[in-house]
Amino acid sequence: MDNNFCVGCPGIQQPLCAVKDIYNGITLNEVISKAKKSASKYLVCHKNAIKIENGAMVITEKCDSCGLCKISCSNQLEKEYDKKIEKPIFAELGKLNIFLSNIFSDALVATEVKTEGNFRQKRIDAVIGKENSVILIKVLANVDKYNFYHRSYEEVMKEYKNKYPELGINIVFIVPESKIKKARQLEYDVICIDEIKSIV
């Protein structure tokens, strides 16, 4: 990654890509109705490798080149990334939120989304809310738990399809690139992070 990509944001001291507003802990009903509550501020860098000098980001030697800050930059129109982005995304759902919000900038993205229904309250790792559809996302580091989470997400999908029959609802499982071969050999319906743009 080119660590010198930041030229600052005109008229402000702190570049917008250093800290992002994310929606976390809202309900699936709020995502569907686009009833946004107040967003939370969330640091982009998972290595604390960003410092601000003269209104621009300077990337320090702590950087592991995951590229999340570059994806978050509004001046970078091409949202390119590689598998290094997996590390922060699989470690923190807030980083997944930042990633998805920048890839799907026209959608409402929320993480740790609460559900309601005829089951104990469940949390969906991430939801992408589009105009007439939602995508329920599970980040699955351990593919052996696929069937358990698949049943759980299917229950949520069925419940919400009954509540919102006109709404398109899909489920996507994201696994690390190192696990994708095993998951597909087991005939699990999964993707890895470099296929994320294909889900919408």
Side-chain angles (χ1 to χ4, degrees):
M1 182 182 87
D2 172 16
N3 286 353
N4 300 311
F5 70 89
C6 183
V7 295
C9 297
I12 58 173
Q13 276 301 309
Q14 179 173 289
L16 298 174
C17 52
V19 177
K20 286 296 204 183
D21 289 333
I22 68 168
Y23 295 100
N24 191 70
I26 65 175
T27 68
L28 186 50
N29 287 331
E30 289 169 324
V31 175
I32 291 167
S33 66
K34 310 294 185 285
K36 298 178 185 177
K37 289 192 172 180
S38 58
S40 305
K41 299 281 184 198
Y42 209 87
L43 286 173
V44 170
C45 184
H46 73 116
K47 298 293 283 183
N48 198 23
I50 293 174
K51 60 183 183 177
I52 309 300
E53 290 181 3
N54 301 319
M57 271 194 332
V58 176
I59 311 296
T60 71
E61 65 282 350
K62 294 179 184 177
C63 175
D64 65 357
S65 297
C66 77
L68 189 58
C69 59
K70 193 169 184 180
I71 290 169
S72 299
C73 178
S74 58
N75 295 323
Q76 299 288 322
L77 300 180
E78 292 295 319
K79 303 297 183 183
E80 299 299 326
Y81 54 90
D82 62 30
K83 70 177 184 177
K84 288 181 185 174
I85 198 80
E86 282 187 351
K87 187 173 183 178
I89 285 173
F90 279 87
E92 293 178 58
L93 291 178
K95 307 305 188 207
L96 173 67
N97 190 313
I98 292 168
F99 174 73
L100 293 174
S101 295
N102 282 282
I103 299 299
F104 304 108
S105 56
D106 61 338
L108 171 58
V109 175
T111 40
E112 297 188 71
V113 176
K114 295 178 276 193
T115 63
E116 301 160 0
N118 297 325
F119 39 74
R120 64 179 179 80
Q121 190 179 71
K122 297 179 180 178
R123 287 184 184 257
I124 305 297
D125 284 355
V127 177
I128 301 173
K130 301 281 280 181
E131 187 64 35
N132 297 308
S133 65
V134 293
I135 300 169
L136 313 179
I137 296 176
K138 175 66 186 168
V139 177
L140 194 64
N142 181 354
V143 296
D144 295 330
K145 294 187 175 180
Y146 175 86
N147 287 324
F148 171 79
Y149 285 111
H150 193 268
R151 281 192 302 272
S152 180
Y153 276 49
E154 285 274 341
E155 286 177 13
V156 172
M157 184 171 77
K158 184 177 178 183
E159 183 77 26
Y160 279 81
K161 275 191 176 284
N162 288 335
K163 287 174 75 170
Y164 302 95
E166 73 291 346
L167 187 70
I169 304 177
N170 290 308
I171 300 170
V172 172
F173 282 80
I174 303 173
V175 300
E177 189 175 300
S178 62
K179 308 278 180 72
I180 195 80
K181 185 176 179 182
K182 176 183 177 182
R184 288 184 174 157
Q185 284 173 340
L186 294 167
E187 298 185 351
Y188 295 160
D189 188 11
V190 297
I191 64 168
C192 56
I193 210 68
D194 65 356
E195 300 169 303
I196 197 76
K197 291 179 183 176
S198 68
I199 68 175
V200 173

